Amino acid sequence: YDAQSVHGLLIYRDTSALAGTVRLILPRRGKSGLPLPTPMICGPGVLATHVHRIPAHSTAELSRFAISKSERQRHISQISTDPDRAAFGATARQVVSTISLGLMQAAIAMAQTHQISHLYALMEPALLRMLRGLGIHFEKLGPVVDYHGRRQPCFCDLDELLGTAWIERPDIW
């Protein structure tokens, strides 16, 4: 899918270390390109109830949403040894949440650049729960599937996602 994708990298300013990455697989244009993974994995029966809400020409797939393992471990060790960080209540979960927000910001910016209004995703259930805690909601498309591990097929309308985030979490908006 890389030939029809755009990629985002989140890099720490202080160290230039890679914090995370996200890929947006763009919809196929005409007969060129591949169909998006989620519709192929879910099949037409699962998507039938949602197809009127998901415009094929402006729907992309969020994928390779990944946080660097070495950076997660580095922050966990700093938090446990740095009394200033502990005083501010910094936790590994907060670091992951902050990186996840940065990756979502990159995905939304890439979507806007390419006139994408909706996103499909196949996410780990734990990631969906964490994003929901940040006011970022994806709607489930069907049951959890086995696709590179347990993944929940889902989608979002970006306007609705941003509106909900604004209402639920103005502190991180």
Side-chain angles (χ1 to χ4, degrees):
Y1 291 101
D2 283 344
Q4 71 190 64
S5 299
V6 289
H7 302 263
L9 296 174
L10 191 61
I11 299 172
Y12 287 106
R13 280 188 208 159
D14 60 340
T15 64
S16 297
L18 178 65
T21 183
V22 63
R23 175 175 77 168
L24 199 63
I25 304 170
L26 300 173
R28 57 197 261 179
R29 303 291 183 206
K31 293 186 180 189
S32 66
L34 299 167
L36 299 175
T38 296
M40 291 187 340
I41 289 164
C42 288
V46 171
L47 295 180
T49 58
H50 302 285
V51 72
H52 66 284
R53 297 175 48 211
I54 307 171
H57 68 283
S58 63
T59 300
E61 177 117 3
L62 184 66
S63 80
R64 293 193 184 156
F65 191 98
I67 297 171
S68 165
K69 185 177 180 179
S70 63
E71 286 303 301
R72 276 194 317 258
Q73 291 172 342
R74 182 176 73 87
H75 282 285
I76 290 168
S77 66
Q78 281 181 347
I79 289 165
S80 63
T81 59
D82 184 343
D84 291 333
R85 285 187 183 255
F88 286 106
T91 66
R93 185 177 303 152
Q94 288 170 320
V95 170
V96 169
S97 294
T98 301
I99 293 171
S100 296
L101 282 172
L103 293 175
M104 282 303 300
Q105 182 180 12
I108 291 166
M110 291 185 298
Q112 290 173 332
T113 298
H114 293 278
Q115 293 82 44
I116 298 299
S117 62
H118 292 70
L119 296 177
Y120 282 123
L122 291 157
M123 290 191 196
E124 292 179 355
L127 176 58
L128 279 173
R129 283 190 302 275
M130 190 268 301
L131 290 174
R132 202 170 27 254
L134 297 171
I136 299 170
H137 297 270
F138 282 81
E139 189 172 333
K140 294 177 183 177
L141 283 171
V144 172
V145 296
D146 185 19
Y147 181 75
H148 305 291
R150 289 177 33 95
R151 300 288 186 266
Q152 175 65 62
C154 53
F155 78 100
C156 73
D157 174 319
L158 287 172
D159 286 340
E160 289 178 17
L161 180 136
L162 293 171
T164 301
W166 169 255
I167 292 166
E168 288 186 11
R169 294 299 305 269
D171 57 316
I172 62 170
W173 180 256

